[in-house]
Amino acid sequence: MGALLGALSAVSVGISEMFGRRGSQAMGVLTVGVVSQAVAALTALALVMVLPSELSWPDLGRGAISGVGFAVGMVTYLGGLLRSSSTVISPTVATLTVVIPFGVAVIGGEQASTLAVTGVGVAIIGLVLITVSGRAAVGIRKGLIWGATSGLGYGIGLAVLIDTSTSSGSWPAASQRFVACILTAMLAAGRRSP
C-alpha cells in the first residue's frame, strides 16, 4: 500500500509541476499559486467532512503556521521554475522538504531507523551530485537560491505539523491550505497580479 501511495504521490507531483510551470508562464506565478492553494484548501475541507476529524484549536494553529511555509514554498518554487532549471530546483526542494522534518523529529526524540537515515543520506548526496554536475543547467545559482527558499518553506511547514494529533484528521491541512491561499492572494493583490 505504501508503494502504491508513493507512486500516486509521485505522479500527482509530476502532473502538478507540469501544469504549474505552464500556467505560471501563461498566467503568472501568483495566479497559479492562488488557484492551486484554493483547490488544495477545498479538497482538505472536503476531507474533513469524510474522514474522522476532531476540531482542535492547537492543531488548527499549527496548520495555520504551516500555511505560511507552504505559501512561501509554492510561490518560490513556481518562481524558481521560471528562472532556472527544474533539474536544480526540484531536487533541492524535495531534499529540504524531507530532511527538515526528519531532522526536527530526530532532534525531538524520535527514533530513526537505519533505512530512514540511509535515505536521508542518499538524498543529500544526490542533491550535491546533481548541483555539482549540473554546471550546464540554466541559472544554477538562482535555482539553488529559489529552490532552497522553497524547500525551507515546505520543510518548516511540514515540521510544524509533527506534533498534531491524529484525531484532528484533516483540520490542520485545511487551515494550512486556507492560510497559504489567503497569503498568496494578498501578495497577488499587493502586486496587482491578475
Side-chain angles (χ1 to χ4, degrees):
M1 184 56 119
L4 174 63
L5 292 174
L8 289 173
S9 176
V11 168
S12 67
V13 167
I15 291 170
S16 68
E17 182 175 315
M18 180 183 72
F19 287 115
R21 177 188 293 239
R22 292 201 179 158
S24 295
Q25 290 170 340
M27 300 297 293
V29 166
L30 296 176
T31 302
V32 171
V34 170
V35 171
S36 297
Q37 299 288 16
V39 168
L42 293 174
T43 302
L45 190 58
L47 288 174
V48 166
M49 308 302 176
V50 176
L51 300 174
S53 300
E54 194 176 293
L55 188 60
S56 162
W57 290 109
D59 287 350
L60 278 177
R62 287 183 186 99
I65 293 167
S66 175
V68 175
F70 269 61
V72 169
M74 179 169 280
V75 169
T76 54
Y77 178 73
L78 293 172
L81 287 176
L82 295 180
R83 292 166 176 82
S84 182
S85 169
S86 64
T87 60
V88 175
I89 292 175
S90 295
T92 306
V93 173
T95 301
L96 290 174
T97 299
V98 170
V99 170
I100 291 171
F102 177 81
V104 169
V106 169
I107 290 168
E110 293 290 325
Q111 293 295 329
S113 70
T114 304
L115 184 61
V117 172
T118 302
V120 167
V122 167
I124 292 170
I125 291 168
L127 178 61
V128 170
L129 291 175
I130 286 169
T131 54
V132 169
S133 66
R135 297 198 190 283
V138 178
I140 190 167
R141 187 173 184 174
K142 279 186 183 179
L144 287 173
I145 292 169
W146 284 84
T149 305
S150 177
L152 284 170
Y154 281 131
I156 292 168
L158 288 173
V160 169
L161 297 176
I162 288 174
D163 291 328
T164 56
S165 64
T166 55
S167 62
S168 63
S170 292
W171 279 114
S175 66
Q176 173 199 73
R177 293 308 185 141
F178 274 105
V179 166
C181 182
I182 290 166
L183 290 175
T184 308
M186 288 171 53
L187 182 60
R191 296 193 56 156
R192 298 190 178 162
S193 180

